[in-house]
Amino acid sequence: MPLLLLTVGLLGGVLLGQEALSPASLGALLADPGQPFARILLEWRLPRVLAAGCVGALLALGGAVFQGVFRNPLAEPYLLGSAGGAAVGATIGLLVPLSMPVTVTLPVLAFSGAWGATWLVLLLARTTSVAALLLAGVAVAAVLGAARSFLMLALSDETVSLQAVLAWTLGGVQTPSWRELAVLGGLTIVSFLLCRRLARGLDLLGLGEAVATSFGLEVRSFVRWAVLAGAFVVAVSVTWGGLVGFVGLVAPHLARWRSGPLHAALLPRAALIGAGITMFADGFARAVLPPAEIPLGLVTALVGGPFFLLVLAREAWRT
Amino acid sequence: MSVLEAHSVTWGVRARKLVHDVSISLRPGEVFGLLGPNGAGKSSLVRLLAGHVAPSSGCLTLDGTPLPSLPVRERAARIGYLPQQFTPHWDYQVQEILRLGLERSLNPHSTSALDHLAVAFDLGHLVGRRWSTLSGGERGRALAAAVLAPEPQVIIADEPAAALDIGQAAALMRRLRDHASRGAAVAVVVHDLNLAGRWCDRIGIMQQGRLLESGAAQSILRGATLDTAFGLAIERVDAADGSLVLAPRI
């Protein structure tokens, strides 16, 4: 299923758009790369689709790590304030005139915000108990949400700026250059390897803290590192894709249904599924209202919302 | 000679001492039973003995080495901990839990180790089953298999028979006894006095965080401290086969 979803997502992302392509015309374009539309495809649409795939894979990895750490299938990657932190960073980047171009300040500030907010949650929670982390996460998210609203009210004097902030928070992937895509691809691979190292610890944590401890896991330090690793992964995805909801919740679920709960199998599958879903959603976002694009986060929320309810109902039925 | 020793250990949460100045030693080949009413501090003492928490005063040693200084992985391989309750957060297959238990072993295990383990614990037909589909007895066996997989030197069990029927409880105690006969030191919290009398070599009675008395099982079960600790009279009957039968007068 993961490879099928990845293929469907990749094809959907490449074929859908302002100018929709049929699989046959895609084949013709690839056979003659000199055509003008083939260049658009290779220099614009394909890098963007691949960037969306990386963002989706990162969200899925972050979601799988946070679900594993909190031992809760409803945990999502933005749980510990990383979304709020990234949004504050992006708001500053978009609304405060700084000496550097916004293409530099926005990702740097969004990344710093996401990463910094998670550090703050860890410091405030003091322990690594699930309840303490969640409470600290909710408190930090609330304060950051208020801070973002204040910044938007205080700093914007043009509607355009507010629209830019709003568009960013609704999620969306910009077309990267091939060099930028290589950086994102590299960070995605690093993130995957980082998460892969957590696999056994996450498996043990799923047995409960007492048994995990007796099976040789240093629960406190492991949870701390896993949260920071998860936050890093989410921060990378937020930096490139804004706040794209539900992928990080849905992809690990689908992977778990098929592969079971062991993270060595779950993580790569979740990443492939997340990539497939996000690539397809990005194509859909470009195709549905041409020439305008609807925000990627809106598409994923439209699909993810009902799925979330399905998961809730399933959990309620199980318990 | 002792394997695991607790020297005057005290531990608590904030100002409340849950274990107060307790000293016990676990010896190879022996099953040590911990008895006492609810809230006596048995589970807290078990957490200390398993190395899950560090005492606020006193010390614990494993073969003379202070427990906190042992690498976590070595402690996990040498001390097996059987919890009172176990509900995994994910729906693992039996074989996945057995593998996680086997991976604690300090020595590399062969690929057939899992099969041997499953057969030894009568789990051969269950290895592919998910946890949620198992009965209480099957879960008890699967968990015991995972915990005992690396043949730990010390086994700490916290009311492992609490959720089991009499037959399953006796079978589990027999397994612990078997491990003791192969050289392991076993400490087990039990509520059933007759199970304790049948399977334990020595018994300690706890009340309000203190170890009131400890010694040879038969002598402790016949003594008045047991009645005092539980706050009721216990009738003792010598059965025809020489064993002691205990029945609280309610």
Side-chain angles (χ1 to χ4, degrees):
Chain A
M1 183 178 75
L3 283 174
L4 179 71
L5 267 174
L6 186 77
T7 313
V8 169
L10 182 62
L11 278 176
V14 170
L15 297 176
L16 293 172
Q18 202 173 327
E19 291 283 335
L21 289 170
S22 68
S25 55
L26 176 67
L29 283 173
L30 291 176
D32 183 9
Q35 290 183 54
F37 198 78
R39 285 192 62 192
I40 292 175
L41 191 74
L42 287 173
E43 287 172 20
W44 190 85
R45 198 177 280 186
L46 189 61
R48 171 158 168 169
V49 170
L50 293 176
C54 289
V55 166
L58 289 162
L59 284 171
L61 288 170
V65 168
F66 279 118
Q67 286 179 11
V69 168
F70 292 106
R71 288 148 273 166
N72 189 329
L74 300 180
E76 49 102 23
Y78 302 138
L79 199 65
L80 292 185
S82 50
V88 167
T91 307
I92 294 171
L94 289 166
L95 297 181
V96 179
L98 298 166
S99 53
M100 280 183 286
V102 79
T103 49
V104 176
T105 55
L106 179 67
V108 169
L109 287 170
F111 183 90
S112 311
W115 180 249
T118 310
W119 264 108
L120 186 63
V121 168
L122 276 180
L123 287 173
L124 288 174
R126 294 174 71 186
T127 70
T128 48
S129 88
V130 171
L133 282 169
L134 287 180
L135 283 173
V138 168
V140 167
V143 171
L144 289 172
R148 183 168 68 91
S149 301
F150 173 77
L151 286 172
M152 285 170 73
L153 286 170
L155 298 176
S156 70
D157 50 7
E158 301 167 29
T159 327
V160 176
S161 300
L162 277 182
Q163 272 182 351
V165 175
L166 196 64
W168 187 88
T169 53
L170 287 172
V173 180
Q174 302 300 314
T175 303
S177 66
W178 281 103
R179 184 174 294 179
E180 287 167 338
L181 184 64
V183 174
L184 176 58
L187 283 170
T188 307
I189 291 168
V190 168
S191 298
F192 172 73
L193 295 174
L194 195 64
C195 295
R196 182 64 185 76
R197 284 184 69 87
L198 302 171
R200 187 171 175 274
L202 292 171
D203 292 342
L204 288 175
L205 207 53
L207 301 175
E209 289 192 17
V211 174
T213 305
S214 71
F215 278 19
L217 184 72
E218 291 261 31
V219 171
R220 272 178 70 94
S221 62
F222 176 79
V223 166
R224 193 168 279 267
W225 280 114
V227 163
L228 287 173
F232 171 81
V233 172
V234 175
V236 175
S237 90
V238 163
T239 304
W240 256 271
L243 302 181
V244 180
F246 292 102
V247 175
L249 175 73
V250 170
H253 262 288
L254 291 175
R256 201 174 288 113
W257 281 351
R258 297 291 297 178
S259 70
L262 289 187
H263 287 82
L266 173 75
L267 288 166
R269 283 176 189 187
L272 293 176
I273 292 170
I277 291 173
T278 314
M279 286 191 292
F280 193 88
D282 184 60
F284 187 79
R286 278 182 276 117
V288 74
L289 278 177
E293 280 184 24
I294 59 170
L296 175 60
L298 224 135
V299 178
T300 55
L302 269 174
V303 180
F307 183 84
F308 190 78
L309 289 174
L310 198 74
V311 171
L312 271 174
R314 189 170 176 264
E315 287 303 310
W317 179 79
R318 268 186 65 187
T319 52
Chain B
M1 203 190 92
S2 305
V3 185
L4 185 64
E5 279 191 283
H7 306 277
S8 300
V9 289
T10 295
W11 181 73
V13 178
R14 297 191 182 90
R16 192 168 165 233
K17 287 178 179 168
L18 300 173
V19 175
H20 193 85
D21 195 23
V22 170
S23 297
I24 61 168
S25 56
L26 304 182
R27 302 167 190 160
E30 253 187 16
V31 178
F32 184 92
L34 263 175
L35 296 179
N38 290 332
K42 304 182 298 293
S43 292
S44 299
L45 180 60
V46 156
R47 292 180 71 193
L48 280 162
L49 293 174
H52 292 187
V53 290
S56 45
S57 66
C59 72
L60 288 134
T61 57
L62 183 66
D63 276 338
T65 309
L67 207 49
S69 68
L70 270 186
V72 178
R73 194 153 170 156
E74 188 180 337
R75 191 193 69 207
R78 293 175 67 184
I79 303 179
Y81 167 72
L82 208 49
Q84 196 174 63
Q85 284 181 326
F86 173 64
T87 312
H89 295 277
W90 306 114
D91 205 6
Y92 292 104
Q93 284 181 356
V94 169
Q95 60 187 335
E96 292 168 345
I97 291 185
L98 296 186
R99 198 168 288 124
L100 288 171
L102 269 171
E103 283 171 2
R104 280 150 57 217
S105 178
L106 292 175
N107 307 314
H109 56 269
S110 66
T111 47
S112 59
L114 195 140
D115 298 331
H116 289 307
L117 187 65
V119 170
F121 282 81
D122 192 21
L123 295 165
H125 57 300
L126 298 175
V127 285
R129 289 259 299 274
R130 297 228 166 259
W131 191 260
S132 60
T133 66
L134 302 180
S135 70
E138 290 166 344
R139 289 177 182 189
R141 284 210 307 282
L143 178 63
V147 170
L148 303 178
E151 292 277 338
Q153 196 180 2
V154 178
I155 298 162
I156 311 288
D158 188 3
E159 289 188 56
L164 302 178
D165 64 40
I166 295 172
Q168 298 277 0
L172 179 63
M173 292 300 286
R174 191 177 300 119
R175 273 190 202 286
L176 294 177
R177 172 84 258 166
D178 288 346
H179 274 263
S181 13
R182 291 204 294 274
V186 178
V188 56
V189 175
V190 249
H191 271 308
D192 187 317
L193 301 178
N194 292 303
L195 272 183
R198 172 73 182 83
W199 299 107
C200 297
D201 302 296
R202 286 188 304 134
I203 284 174
I205 300 175
M206 286 192 77
Q207 191 187 37
Q208 293 181 337
R210 292 177 185 275
L211 188 66
L212 294 183
E213 194 177 11
S214 69
Q218 292 301 312
S219 128
I220 292 291
L221 291 174
R222 286 177 191 278
T225 310
L226 195 63
D227 305 56
T228 312
F230 284 100
L232 45 77
I234 295 168
E235 191 158 351
R236 293 156 175 90
V237 179
D238 286 303
D241 65 353
S243 62
L244 178 67
V245 179
L246 297 103
R249 284 195 204 126
I250 304 167

